[in-house]
Amino acid sequence: MKEAEAFIMELITKAGGGRGGGRGGGGGGREPRPAYVGPDAVEGQVYKGKITGIHQFGVFVEILPGAEDGSTPGLEGLCHVSELHYERVRNCEGFIKSMGVEELEVKYIGKNAKGQLQLSRKAVQEDRRNRGRKSSGGGGGGPNKKSEEEMKQPEMSKDESDVIAQAIEGISSL
């Protein structure tokens, strides 16, 4: 018990207070994370990037790779949950898993106030939808003719349909 108390007192008296919080220091002598050293991302450019993290608030995507030897990280940004799809996404992890992909096509839309990269998958989808309308709108089909992409019904994964079925069962049992 005395060893534990001594250990805690040592942590408290050190600069930074231990786990990175508080005043000064922070991180307990941890080396700073290496910075990305490659070319900058071009605003408005579409990138196919590797998914590096999935959270409730969005998906982290590495749009430009780091050094091959791993000495420097790649250029990574956040595709916020509101920028994942043109329809509302309620569960990022479930949405990404239902897609069955390890990479996402995203557009670099700028940096936030903290200098972090902001990415949008929704902007890529909207660009494709608008491009499809422009290319099919000039033909003799008239203004009501829809492109194949617009007429195609979205497919639902088995996981998504199972979740919906469970929700319906839960409601009907009330």
Side-chain angles (χ1 to χ4, degrees), residues 46-94:
V46 175
Y47 296 91
K48 187 167 190 166
K50 177 182 165 192
I51 297 170
T52 58
I54 304 171
H55 302 273
Q56 291 178 346
F57 53 85
V59 179
F60 285 97
V61 181
E62 182 181 272
I63 59 173
L64 294 172
E68 288 183 21
D69 65 357
S71 60
T72 59
L75 186 59
E76 187 176 80
L78 174 68
C79 184
H80 189 266
V81 63
S82 64
E83 294 292 332
L84 274 175
H85 196 60
Y86 56 87
E87 293 180 7
R88 184 174 179 196
V89 174
R90 296 174 192 266
N91 178 346
C92 279
E93 187 174 356

Side-chain angles (χ1 to χ4, degrees), residues 85-170:
H85 196 60
Y86 56 87
E87 293 180 7
R88 184 174 179 196
V89 174
R90 296 174 192 266
N91 178 346
C92 279
E93 187 174 356
F95 179 76
I96 296 297
K97 283 185 178 180
S98 73
M99 293 173 60
V101 297
E102 294 179 9
E103 294 182 329
L104 285 181
E105 236 181 336
V106 293
K107 181 184 266 191
Y108 171 49
I109 56 176
K111 291 185 178 183
N112 65 12
K114 294 181 181 179
Q116 299 164 328
L117 276 65
Q118 295 178 307
L119 307 173
S120 175
R121 181 176 173 269
K122 180 167 67 172
V124 173
Q125 293 175 318
E126 289 172 351
D127 288 349
R128 286 190 179 143
R129 291 176 80 183
N130 291 336
R131 191 176 36 208
R133 287 185 185 138
K134 287 179 185 174
S135 64
S136 66
N144 293 331
K145 186 173 182 180
K146 292 185 178 181
S147 69
E148 284 184 42
E149 185 177 325
E150 289 175 309
M151 290 177 20
K152 184 179 176 185
Q153 294 293 321
E155 293 184 25
M156 189 179 298
S157 74
K158 179 161 177 21
D159 289 340
E160 289 173 317
S161 60
D162 289 345
V163 168
I164 292 170
Q166 288 173 350
I168 292 170
E169 288 175 14

Side-chain angles (χ1 to χ4, degrees), residues 8-37:
I8 291 171
M9 288 306 293
E10 183 181 337
L11 285 176
I12 292 171
T13 57
K14 281 186 177 178
R19 300 192 70 190
R23 299 176 291 277
R30 186 188 291 175
E31 291 183 27
R33 182 176 181 205
Y36 173 74
V37 293

